[in-house]
Amino acid sequence: MNEVQRLMNKVIEFRDERDWAFHHNPKDLALSLSLEASELLELFQWVSSEEALETKHVEMKEELADILIYALTFAHAAGIDVSQAIEEKLEKNAMKYPAPQEKA
């Protein structure tokens, strides 16, 4: 079992211990994922990236964790193998955006 699957199992176990599966359908999870991403974005509102990183690092860590938890829960609900999806998307992106032959 890879680390992504281990974390997904831990997230699903946490969810199931609280009987939250009823609420975790793909549509509602996608909505929640978007809302959590917006909460991360909000931490950068009206400040520079540097200032946000210096003053809101703990909040960023928590929002990122929420995003990843929802993403893993969505993947579980939708039957998506996250590791495979990332590998396939990287391959597709490599074809679409090839690396330059010579680096400066």
XYZ file of all heavy atoms in Angstrom:
844
model
N 0.846 -1.172 0.000
C 0.000 0.000 0.000
C 0.897 1.242 0.000
O 1.827 1.350 0.782
C -0.889 -0.008 1.243
C -1.734 1.225 1.393
S -2.721 1.349 2.914
C -3.306 -0.274 3.198
N 0.594 2.176 -0.933
C 1.398 3.392 -0.986
C 0.882 4.422 0.020
O -0.164 4.240 0.653
C 1.446 3.954 -2.409
C 0.079 4.397 -2.916
O -0.755 4.907 -2.176
N -0.145 4.229 -4.206
N 1.616 5.491 0.191
C 1.283 6.513 1.186
C -0.059 7.186 0.890
O -0.820 7.482 1.819
C 2.406 7.562 1.256
C 2.223 8.581 2.351
C 2.291 8.024 3.775
O 2.632 6.844 3.961
O 1.988 8.789 4.704
N -0.361 7.423 -0.372
C -1.634 8.043 -0.723
C -2.789 7.143 -0.283
O -3.755 7.611 0.326
C -1.716 8.346 -2.239
C -3.097 8.856 -2.622
C -0.655 9.356 -2.648
N -2.692 5.864 -0.569
C -3.750 4.923 -0.184
C -3.858 4.822 1.333
O -4.951 4.734 1.884
C -3.503 3.549 -0.797
C -4.661 2.589 -0.596
C -5.954 3.068 -1.238
O -5.966 3.446 -2.398
N -7.032 3.083 -0.477
N -2.722 4.843 2.021
C -2.735 4.795 3.483
C -3.482 5.993 4.055
O -4.326 5.856 4.946
C -1.306 4.745 4.037
C -1.257 4.546 5.562
C 0.142 4.736 6.117
N 0.555 6.128 6.115
C 0.121 7.051 6.984
N -0.752 6.740 7.910
N 0.558 8.299 6.918
N -3.192 7.174 3.527
C -3.877 8.382 3.991
C -5.364 8.339 3.659
O -6.203 8.731 4.476
C -3.225 9.629 3.393
C -1.865 9.986 3.955
C -1.227 11.099 3.125
C -1.972 10.396 5.414
N -5.702 7.861 2.453
C -7.110 7.760 2.079
C -7.835 6.832 3.047
O -8.938 7.155 3.511
C -7.281 7.271 0.644
C -8.744 7.216 0.216
S -9.001 6.540 -1.433
C -8.280 7.814 -2.443
N -7.239 5.712 3.357
C -7.862 4.779 4.296
C -8.084 5.433 5.655
O -9.125 5.233 6.285
C -7.013 3.523 4.449
C -7.008 2.663 3.204
O -7.817 2.835 2.298
N -6.069 1.737 3.145
N -7.113 6.218 6.104
C -7.221 6.901 7.395
C -8.353 7.937 7.368
O -9.128 8.048 8.318
C -5.883 7.560 7.729
C -5.747 8.012 9.138
C -4.311 8.392 9.438
C -4.170 8.711 10.903
N -2.786 8.912 11.286
N -8.463 8.684 6.274
C -9.528 9.673 6.116
C -10.896 8.984 6.102
O -11.836 9.435 6.775
C -9.316 10.507 4.826
C -10.547 11.305 4.459
C -8.102 11.419 4.978
N -11.012 7.902 5.363
C -12.292 7.193 5.274
C -12.649 6.563 6.620
O -13.815 6.590 7.037
C -12.254 6.139 4.143
C -12.036 6.821 2.789
C -13.530 5.302 4.141
C -13.024 7.943 2.458
N -11.672 6.053 7.325
C -11.931 5.506 8.665
C -12.451 6.608 9.598
O -13.413 6.405 10.329
C -10.650 4.890 9.232
C -10.815 4.314 10.616
C -9.511 3.737 11.172
O -8.575 3.467 10.396
O -9.443 3.572 12.401
N -11.827 7.776 9.565
C -12.263 8.920 10.374
C -13.709 9.271 10.036
O -14.546 9.456 10.917
C -11.335 10.111 10.101
C -11.673 11.347 10.875
C -11.114 11.580 12.126
C -12.535 12.301 10.355
C -11.418 12.733 12.842
C -12.852 13.453 11.063
C -12.289 13.662 12.311
N -14.004 9.344 8.732
C -15.356 9.658 8.272
C -16.355 8.615 8.755
O -17.422 8.948 9.289
C -15.380 9.736 6.751
C -16.765 10.043 6.186
C -16.950 9.568 4.783
N -16.931 8.107 4.697
C -16.912 7.459 3.568
N -16.869 8.093 2.418
N -16.910 6.137 3.559
N -16.020 7.364 8.590
C -16.947 6.288 8.937
C -17.200 6.205 10.435
O -18.315 5.872 10.859
C -16.434 4.952 8.405
C -16.516 4.864 6.886
O -17.183 5.712 6.260
O -15.887 3.936 6.327
N -16.203 6.525 11.245
C -16.390 6.524 12.697
C -17.432 7.562 13.127
O -18.014 7.451 14.199
C -15.064 6.806 13.404
C -14.089 5.651 13.345
C -12.714 6.008 13.887
O -12.437 7.212 14.110
O -11.909 5.081 14.082
N -17.659 8.557 12.294
C -18.601 9.630 12.609
C -19.903 9.534 11.804
O -20.734 10.410 11.863
C -17.918 10.975 12.362
C -16.887 11.249 13.438
C -15.741 12.124 12.950
N -14.760 12.274 14.021
C -13.823 11.367 14.312
N -13.733 10.252 13.623
N -12.980 11.579 15.305
N -20.034 8.478 11.015
C -21.220 8.270 10.172
C -21.483 9.440 9.236
O -22.629 9.870 9.052
C -22.465 7.978 11.042
C -22.358 6.668 11.782
O -21.798 5.714 11.202
O -22.819 6.597 12.935
N -20.432 9.951 8.620
C -20.562 11.085 7.707
C -20.685 10.653 6.251
O -20.863 11.492 5.369
C -19.375 12.019 7.831
C -19.295 12.788 9.107
C -20.263 12.915 10.067
C -18.172 13.542 9.577
N -19.814 13.700 11.092
C -18.522 14.101 10.822
C -16.907 13.799 9.068
C -17.662 14.900 11.561
C -16.040 14.596 9.800
C -16.420 15.148 11.028
N -20.603 9.373 5.963
C -20.609 8.904 4.570
C -21.860 9.357 3.821
O -21.793 9.625 2.618
C -20.478 7.386 4.515
N -22.963 9.446 4.508
C -24.214 9.872 3.882
C -24.054 11.222 3.183
O -24.644 11.464 2.138
C -25.320 9.959 4.947
C -26.599 10.529 4.425
C -27.463 9.732 3.682
C -26.949 11.844 4.655
C -28.653 10.243 3.188
C -28.138 12.379 4.170
C -28.988 11.573 3.438
N -23.268 12.098 3.760
C -23.065 13.440 3.211
C -21.971 13.498 2.146
O -21.817 14.529 1.499
C -22.689 14.421 4.328
C -23.693 14.501 5.419
N -24.924 15.090 5.262
C -23.655 14.048 6.695
C -25.596 15.021 6.388
N -24.857 14.384 7.277
N -21.227 12.430 1.995
C -20.045 12.464 1.146
C -20.293 11.874 -0.235
O -19.644 10.921 -0.653
C -18.880 11.783 1.854
C -18.336 12.592 2.977
N -17.246 12.194 3.709
C -18.709 13.785 3.498
C -16.979 13.105 4.630
N -17.866 14.071 4.525
N -21.189 12.486 -0.975
C -21.408 12.117 -2.369
C -20.508 12.987 -3.236
O -20.036 14.046 -2.788
C -22.890 12.275 -2.742
C -23.355 13.702 -2.581
O -23.032 14.561 -3.397
N -24.114 13.971 -1.518
N -20.210 12.573 -4.468
C -19.269 13.326 -5.301
C -19.621 14.811 -5.472
O -18.743 15.665 -5.400
C -19.291 12.572 -6.631
C -19.584 11.162 -6.234
C -20.574 11.292 -5.104
N -20.892 15.141 -5.671
C -21.273 16.543 -5.869
C -20.947 17.376 -4.633
O -20.309 18.439 -4.725
C -22.752 16.676 -6.195
C -23.223 18.146 -6.332
C -24.726 18.315 -6.307
C -25.351 18.048 -4.982
N -25.352 19.104 -4.007
N -21.380 16.913 -3.466
C -21.148 17.678 -2.248
C -19.660 17.746 -1.898
O -19.175 18.756 -1.376
C -21.951 17.101 -1.087
C -23.440 17.375 -1.227
O -23.815 18.313 -1.966
O -24.238 16.650 -0.599
N -18.932 16.691 -2.189
C -17.488 16.717 -1.947
C -16.784 17.693 -2.883
O -15.872 18.409 -2.469
C -16.909 15.312 -2.081
C -17.319 14.352 -0.959
C -16.993 12.922 -1.345
C -16.659 14.739 0.353
N -17.206 17.745 -4.141
C -16.618 18.702 -5.086
C -16.908 20.131 -4.628
O -16.027 21.003 -4.695
C -17.155 18.464 -6.495
N -18.115 20.375 -4.158
C -18.457 21.700 -3.626
C -17.574 22.043 -2.432
O -17.030 23.157 -2.341
C -19.925 21.729 -3.178
C -20.956 22.048 -4.224
C -22.343 21.624 -3.764
C -20.939 23.546 -4.488
N -17.447 21.114 -1.521
C -16.639 21.350 -0.320
C -15.176 21.570 -0.671
O -14.502 22.411 -0.071
C -16.785 20.175 0.647
O -18.112 20.088 1.102
N -14.689 20.837 -1.646
C -13.311 20.998 -2.110
C -13.084 22.411 -2.633
O -12.094 23.071 -2.299
C -13.021 19.957 -3.182
C -11.633 19.838 -3.750
C -10.601 19.624 -2.667
C -11.590 18.690 -4.732
N -14.029 22.909 -3.417
C -13.935 24.262 -3.945
C -13.987 25.306 -2.831
O -13.231 26.283 -2.841
C -15.060 24.505 -4.948
O -15.006 25.822 -5.443
N -14.868 25.100 -1.875
C -14.981 26.043 -0.759
C -13.698 26.089 0.063
O -13.242 27.168 0.459
C -16.174 25.677 0.128
C -17.539 25.857 -0.508
C -18.620 25.229 0.363
C -17.834 27.318 -0.766
N -13.110 24.936 0.325
C -11.856 24.904 1.089
C -10.721 25.569 0.312
O -9.887 26.276 0.890
C -11.484 23.472 1.471
C -12.407 22.840 2.475
C -12.459 23.547 3.826
O -11.513 24.276 4.191
O -13.460 23.359 4.537
N -10.683 25.375 -1.012
C -9.666 26.039 -1.829
C -9.849 27.552 -1.765
O -8.866 28.306 -1.715
C -9.729 25.542 -3.268
N -11.085 27.996 -1.720
C -11.361 29.432 -1.596
C -10.894 29.961 -0.243
O -10.422 31.095 -0.148
C -12.849 29.711 -1.780
O -13.245 29.410 -3.097
N -11.037 29.149 0.800
C -10.557 29.565 2.118
C -9.037 29.714 2.121
O -8.497 30.617 2.762
C -11.025 28.594 3.192
C -12.524 28.686 3.444
C -13.026 27.720 4.499
O -12.207 27.171 5.267
O -14.249 27.512 4.559
N -8.339 28.842 1.403
C -6.886 28.985 1.264
C -6.569 30.270 0.508
O -5.700 31.052 0.922
C -6.293 27.773 0.539
C -4.802 27.830 0.238
C -3.982 27.927 1.518
C -4.390 26.614 -0.584
N -7.261 30.512 -0.563
C -7.047 31.718 -1.357
C -7.291 32.985 -0.540
O -6.565 33.968 -0.677
C -7.954 31.680 -2.590
C -7.821 32.807 -3.594
C -6.395 32.878 -4.143
C -8.815 32.600 -4.723
N -8.285 32.937 0.312
C -8.633 34.103 1.128
C -7.471 34.547 2.021
O -7.332 35.733 2.327
C -9.848 33.782 1.986
C -10.375 34.963 2.776
C -11.607 34.620 3.582
O -11.822 33.438 3.911
O -12.370 35.559 3.876
N -6.606 33.626 2.397
C -5.462 33.968 3.236
C -4.483 34.904 2.536
O -3.678 35.572 3.180
C -4.748 32.698 3.704
C -5.583 31.743 4.554
C -4.811 30.463 4.827
C -6.016 32.408 5.855
N -4.568 34.975 1.214
C -3.679 35.835 0.435
C -4.316 37.179 0.086
O -3.665 38.036 -0.516
C -3.260 35.120 -0.855
C -2.339 33.960 -0.608
C -2.843 32.682 -0.445
C -0.966 34.143 -0.534
C -1.994 31.602 -0.210
C -0.111 33.081 -0.303
C -0.625 31.806 -0.143
N -5.566 37.350 0.454
C -6.278 38.577 0.083
C -5.637 39.777 0.764
O -5.435 39.800 1.972
C -7.752 38.462 0.484
C -8.600 39.592 -0.042
C -10.077 39.351 0.256
O -10.439 38.581 1.136
N -10.923 40.017 -0.499
N -5.311 40.769 -0.031
C -4.809 42.081 0.383
C -3.391 42.070 0.929
O -2.929 43.069 1.486
C -5.741 42.743 1.408
C -7.180 42.697 1.022
C -8.187 42.138 1.741
C -7.790 43.219 -0.168
N -9.375 42.272 1.084
C -9.170 42.940 -0.099
C -7.312 43.885 -1.299
C -10.064 43.299 -1.093
C -8.207 44.250 -2.287
C -9.560 43.960 -2.180
N -2.683 40.952 0.813
C -1.283 40.912 1.263
C -0.436 40.231 0.190
O -0.944 39.526 -0.671
C -1.128 40.158 2.611
C -1.875 40.872 3.727
C -1.582 38.713 2.502
N 0.858 40.441 0.267
C 1.776 39.778 -0.667
C 1.904 38.303 -0.293
O 1.568 37.894 0.827
C 3.155 40.438 -0.603
O 3.755 40.181 0.659
N 2.403 37.519 -1.223
C 2.644 36.101 -0.936
C 3.586 35.943 0.248
O 3.366 35.099 1.126
C 3.252 35.403 -2.153
O 2.313 35.288 -3.178
N 4.624 36.762 0.263
C 5.612 36.678 1.332
C 4.984 36.968 2.686
O 5.214 36.251 3.663
C 6.778 37.651 1.073
C 7.610 37.299 -0.134
C 6.969 37.696 -1.469
O 6.014 38.514 -1.487
O 7.406 37.164 -2.502
N 4.165 38.031 2.752
C 3.521 38.382 4.020
C 2.556 37.286 4.468
O 2.504 36.923 5.648
C 2.780 39.718 3.903
C 2.170 40.190 5.210
C 1.437 41.508 5.090
O 1.587 42.205 4.072
O 0.700 41.843 6.050
N 1.800 36.753 3.533
C 0.858 35.680 3.869
C 1.604 34.465 4.410
O 1.190 33.872 5.417
C 0.023 35.312 2.648
N 2.703 34.103 3.757
C 3.477 32.947 4.214
C 4.065 33.180 5.606
O 4.145 32.261 6.410
C 4.596 32.628 3.218
C 4.126 31.985 1.918
C 5.260 31.977 0.891
C 3.613 30.579 2.159
N 4.452 34.397 5.881
C 5.047 34.715 7.179
C 4.012 34.764 8.295
O 4.297 34.374 9.429
C 5.777 36.065 7.115
C 7.042 36.037 6.295
C 7.648 37.427 6.110
O 7.205 38.383 6.784
O 8.566 37.542 5.279
N 2.814 35.264 7.995
C 1.835 35.530 9.059
C 0.701 34.511 9.135
O 0.004 34.459 10.154
C 1.221 36.930 8.889
O 0.505 36.989 7.643
C 2.288 38.008 8.918
N 0.511 33.723 8.097
C -0.644 32.829 8.063
C -0.268 31.392 7.716
O -1.081 30.634 7.194
C -1.676 33.366 7.068
C -2.173 34.750 7.441
C -3.146 35.291 6.432
C -3.554 36.712 6.829
N -4.467 37.294 5.876
N 0.950 31.020 8.038
C 1.441 29.694 7.666
C 0.638 28.572 8.321
O 0.312 27.566 7.675
C 2.929 29.566 8.011
C 3.576 28.400 7.375
N 3.753 27.199 8.033
C 4.071 28.227 6.134
C 4.337 26.344 7.225
N 4.543 26.933 6.076
N 0.292 28.729 9.580
C -0.482 27.701 10.283
C -1.844 27.537 9.629
O -2.296 26.405 9.386
C -0.628 28.048 11.783
C -1.614 27.106 12.474
C 0.725 28.000 12.468
N -2.504 28.652 9.319
C -3.815 28.588 8.672
C -3.720 27.942 7.293
O -4.599 27.173 6.902
C -4.426 29.985 8.554
C -4.781 30.630 9.876
C -3.659 31.470 10.465
O -2.461 31.253 10.121
O -3.968 32.345 11.284
N -2.641 28.247 6.557
C -2.440 27.641 5.238
C -2.303 26.133 5.349
O -2.882 25.385 4.553
C -1.192 28.218 4.564
C -1.346 29.619 4.097
S 0.204 30.183 3.402
C -0.153 31.913 3.244
N -1.542 25.700 6.328
C -1.348 24.266 6.555
C -2.689 23.582 6.825
O -2.984 22.515 6.271
C -0.394 24.081 7.732
C -0.069 22.667 8.089
C 0.921 22.661 9.252
C 1.098 21.289 9.820
N 2.012 21.290 10.976
N -3.521 24.220 7.654
C -4.830 23.648 7.980
C -5.758 23.629 6.769
O -6.464 22.635 6.539
C -5.464 24.427 9.132
C -4.734 24.209 10.446
C -5.248 25.081 11.579
O -6.161 25.920 11.349
O -4.745 24.919 12.698
N -5.782 24.710 5.996
C -6.649 24.748 4.808
C -6.185 23.744 3.765
O -7.004 23.074 3.131
C -6.708 26.161 4.213
C -7.362 27.197 5.102
C -8.778 26.861 5.540
O -9.458 26.039 4.891
O -9.210 27.418 6.556
N -4.879 23.624 3.589
C -4.360 22.634 2.643
C -4.741 21.223 3.087
O -5.133 20.391 2.260
C -2.845 22.766 2.495
C -2.205 21.785 1.521
C -2.783 21.935 0.119
C -0.699 21.980 1.508
N -4.655 20.961 4.376
C -5.064 19.650 4.881
C -6.542 19.402 4.581
O -6.918 18.308 4.138
C -4.798 19.546 6.379
N -7.391 20.417 4.797
C -8.816 20.266 4.478
C -9.020 19.957 2.998
O -9.821 19.089 2.637
C -9.594 21.537 4.844
C -9.792 21.717 6.331
O -9.683 20.727 7.083
O -10.069 22.859 6.754
N -8.295 20.658 2.142
C -8.398 20.440 0.692
C -8.015 19.002 0.347
O -8.718 18.314 -0.402
C -7.506 21.448 -0.073
C -8.067 22.860 0.060
C -7.342 21.046 -1.542
C -7.081 23.955 -0.332
N -6.906 18.553 0.891
C -6.432 17.203 0.577
C -7.363 16.129 1.143
O -7.596 15.101 0.492
C -5.000 17.020 1.086
C -3.968 17.896 0.363
C -2.632 17.854 1.100
C -3.819 17.478 -1.083
N -7.913 16.378 2.319
C -8.871 15.430 2.899
C -10.097 15.317 2.001
O -10.554 14.213 1.692
C -9.236 15.838 4.336
C -8.054 15.566 5.273
C -10.498 15.118 4.808
C -8.182 16.205 6.637
N -10.630 16.471 1.569
C -11.782 16.413 0.668
C -11.416 15.771 -0.666
O -12.210 15.033 -1.252
C -12.384 17.801 0.451
C -13.361 18.201 1.525
C -13.153 19.330 2.294
C -14.509 17.448 1.771
C -14.045 19.703 3.285
C -15.404 17.813 2.757
C -15.178 18.935 3.511
O -16.066 19.294 4.486
N -10.221 16.043 -1.167
C -9.803 15.449 -2.437
C -9.707 13.933 -2.320
O -10.155 13.202 -3.216
C -8.469 16.038 -2.886
N -9.146 13.442 -1.228
C -9.047 11.999 -1.037
C -10.430 11.372 -0.853
O -10.701 10.283 -1.380
C -8.156 11.680 0.166
C -6.667 11.969 -0.025
C -5.921 11.782 1.287
C -6.078 11.105 -1.123
N -11.304 12.068 -0.138
C -12.658 11.556 0.054
C -13.414 11.542 -1.266
O -14.152 10.593 -1.571
C -13.407 12.386 1.111
O -12.606 12.471 2.295
C -14.742 11.768 1.472
N -13.213 12.585 -2.086
C -13.829 12.620 -3.410
C -13.321 11.460 -4.262
O -14.102 10.775 -4.928
C -13.533 13.956 -4.105
C -14.078 14.008 -5.504
C -15.381 14.409 -5.745
C -13.295 13.640 -6.585
C -15.896 14.431 -7.026
C -13.793 13.656 -7.879
C -15.106 14.063 -8.092
N -12.022 11.245 -4.250
C -11.443 10.149 -5.034
C -12.041 8.811 -4.606
O -12.378 7.979 -5.456
C -9.922 10.130 -4.881
N -12.202 8.621 -3.325
C -12.809 7.387 -2.822
C -14.236 7.254 -3.327
O -14.627 6.200 -3.836
C -12.760 7.382 -1.290
C -13.333 6.162 -0.679
N -14.650 6.062 -0.310
C -12.770 4.970 -0.366
C -14.878 4.881 0.198
N -13.754 4.185 0.180
N -15.022 8.320 -3.206
C -16.430 8.284 -3.625
C -16.572 8.070 -5.131
O -17.517 7.425 -5.579
C -17.130 9.577 -3.209
N -15.625 8.607 -5.901
C -15.699 8.516 -7.362
C -14.955 7.302 -7.920
O -14.952 7.082 -9.131
C -15.138 9.794 -7.985
N -14.302 6.530 -7.047
C -13.573 5.351 -7.506
C -12.334 5.691 -8.320
O -12.017 5.006 -9.290
N -11.635 6.741 -7.914
C -10.431 7.184 -8.634
C -9.190 6.778 -7.853
O -9.073 7.069 -6.657
C -10.461 8.716 -8.838
C -11.629 9.099 -9.741
C -9.127 9.222 -9.401
C -11.890 10.587 -9.822
N -8.273 6.121 -8.522
C -6.973 5.789 -7.948
C -6.109 7.048 -8.092
O -5.708 7.411 -9.201
C -6.360 4.607 -8.699
C -4.985 4.217 -8.188
O -4.178 5.102 -7.837
O -4.714 2.999 -8.162
N -5.858 7.720 -6.995
C -5.163 9.011 -7.018
C -3.765 8.882 -7.609
O -3.366 9.701 -8.444
C -5.106 9.632 -5.601
C -4.294 10.911 -5.590
C -6.520 9.890 -5.081
N -3.015 7.889 -7.186
C -1.651 7.713 -7.707
C -1.672 7.516 -9.213
O -0.891 8.142 -9.949
C -0.971 6.522 -7.027
O -0.824 6.769 -5.654
N -2.566 6.675 -9.695
C -2.686 6.429 -11.130
C -3.125 7.698 -11.860
O -2.582 8.026 -12.929
C -3.680 5.305 -11.388
C -3.872 4.999 -12.861
C -4.938 3.944 -13.096
O -5.624 3.513 -12.177
N -5.076 3.531 -14.337
N -4.088 8.418 -11.295
C -4.577 9.645 -11.938
C -3.456 10.669 -12.084
O -3.330 11.311 -13.134
C -5.739 10.229 -11.131
N -2.625 10.809 -11.052
C -1.516 11.767 -11.112
C -0.492 11.333 -12.146
O -0.015 12.152 -12.951
C -0.884 11.951 -9.716
C -1.868 12.692 -8.796
C 0.449 12.704 -9.820
C -1.449 12.737 -7.343
N -0.136 10.046 -12.140
C 0.827 9.543 -13.126
C 0.332 9.791 -14.548
O 1.090 10.267 -15.405
C 1.076 8.041 -12.912
C 1.778 7.697 -11.621
C 3.255 8.002 -11.610
O 3.836 8.264 -12.683
O 3.833 7.979 -10.516
N -0.934 9.458 -14.807
C -1.494 9.646 -16.144
C -1.545 11.120 -16.531
O -1.251 11.480 -17.681
C -2.888 9.028 -16.220
C -2.860 7.521 -16.186
C -4.240 6.885 -16.083
O -5.262 7.628 -16.029
O -4.308 5.643 -16.051
N -1.902 11.988 -15.588
C -1.984 13.422 -15.894
C -0.591 13.998 -16.152
O -0.420 14.842 -17.046
C -2.681 14.160 -14.748
C -2.926 15.611 -15.029
C -3.849 15.833 -16.228
C -4.133 17.304 -16.408
N -4.999 17.583 -17.539
N 0.405 13.557 -15.412
C 1.773 14.030 -15.660
C 2.249 13.606 -17.048
O 2.907 14.387 -17.754
C 2.725 13.520 -14.576
C 2.618 14.212 -13.222
C 3.481 13.502 -12.180
C 3.005 15.687 -13.322
N 1.921 12.385 -17.445
C 2.283 11.921 -18.791
C 1.596 12.771 -19.857
O 2.222 13.168 -20.843
C 1.902 10.449 -18.969
C 2.783 9.490 -18.217
C 2.328 8.041 -18.365
O 1.626 7.711 -19.349
O 2.677 7.234 -17.482
N 0.322 13.033 -19.663
C -0.438 13.854 -20.608
C 0.141 15.274 -20.671
O 0.303 15.841 -21.756
C -1.908 13.894 -20.183
C -2.822 14.574 -21.151
C -4.275 14.449 -20.705
C -5.207 15.079 -21.718
N -6.620 14.915 -21.317
N 0.452 15.830 -19.508
C 1.025 17.181 -19.477
C 2.412 17.223 -20.115
O 2.781 18.220 -20.745
C 1.082 17.710 -18.051
C -0.262 18.139 -17.530
O -1.233 18.248 -18.273
N -0.345 18.366 -16.227
N 3.186 16.153 -19.958
C 4.511 16.103 -20.568
C 4.418 16.146 -22.092
O 5.250 16.770 -22.757
C 5.255 14.849 -20.118
N 3.387 15.521 -22.633
C 3.179 15.565 -24.084
C 2.709 16.956 -24.520
O 3.143 17.470 -25.550
C 2.148 14.521 -24.497
C 2.546 13.090 -24.211
S 3.993 12.560 -25.147
C 3.283 12.460 -26.772
N 1.857 17.547 -23.735
C 1.290 18.859 -24.062
C 2.295 19.994 -23.854
O 2.317 20.952 -24.593
C 0.046 19.085 -23.207
C -0.743 20.312 -23.586
C -2.044 20.378 -22.793
C -2.883 21.576 -23.200
N -4.154 21.637 -22.450
N 3.106 19.841 -22.803
C 4.089 20.875 -22.450
C 5.468 20.235 -22.328
O 5.989 20.050 -21.212
C 3.727 21.538 -21.116
C 2.308 22.035 -21.049
C 1.347 21.358 -20.310
C 1.918 23.190 -21.722
C 0.033 21.814 -20.245
C 0.621 23.656 -21.660
C -0.312 22.964 -20.917
O -1.605 23.413 -20.846
N 6.109 19.906 -23.440
C 7.419 19.247 -23.357
C 8.458 20.180 -22.720
O 8.413 21.403 -22.882
C 7.754 18.951 -24.812
C 6.867 19.814 -25.634
C 5.675 20.143 -24.815
N 9.378 19.562 -21.993
C 10.460 20.330 -21.391
C 11.371 20.851 -22.471
O 11.579 20.195 -23.499
C 11.245 19.435 -20.432
N 11.923 22.062 -22.278
C 12.839 22.601 -23.288
C 14.070 21.696 -23.436
O 14.520 21.090 -22.467
C 13.222 23.972 -22.755
C 12.755 24.028 -21.341
C 11.763 22.940 -21.136
N 14.570 21.619 -24.646
C 15.732 20.765 -24.916
C 16.977 21.281 -24.216
O 17.773 20.513 -23.740
C 15.966 20.663 -26.426
C 14.835 19.983 -27.174
C 14.617 18.547 -26.720
O 15.556 17.828 -26.411
N 13.360 18.131 -26.659
N 17.128 22.610 -24.213
C 18.305 23.205 -23.563
C 17.834 24.118 -22.472
O 16.955 24.946 -22.656
C 19.123 23.991 -24.592
C 19.722 23.137 -25.670
C 20.552 23.967 -26.632
O 21.049 25.020 -26.248
O 20.669 23.537 -27.787
N 18.432 23.966 -21.310
C 18.099 24.832 -20.193
C 19.160 25.907 -20.077
O 20.324 25.670 -20.306
C 17.999 24.030 -18.894
C 16.844 23.037 -18.931
C 16.671 22.359 -17.614
C 15.491 21.399 -17.696
N 15.227 20.768 -16.435
N 18.686 27.093 -19.707
C 19.605 28.234 -19.602
C 20.507 28.116 -18.401
O 20.278 27.497 -17.459
C 18.812 29.537 -19.515
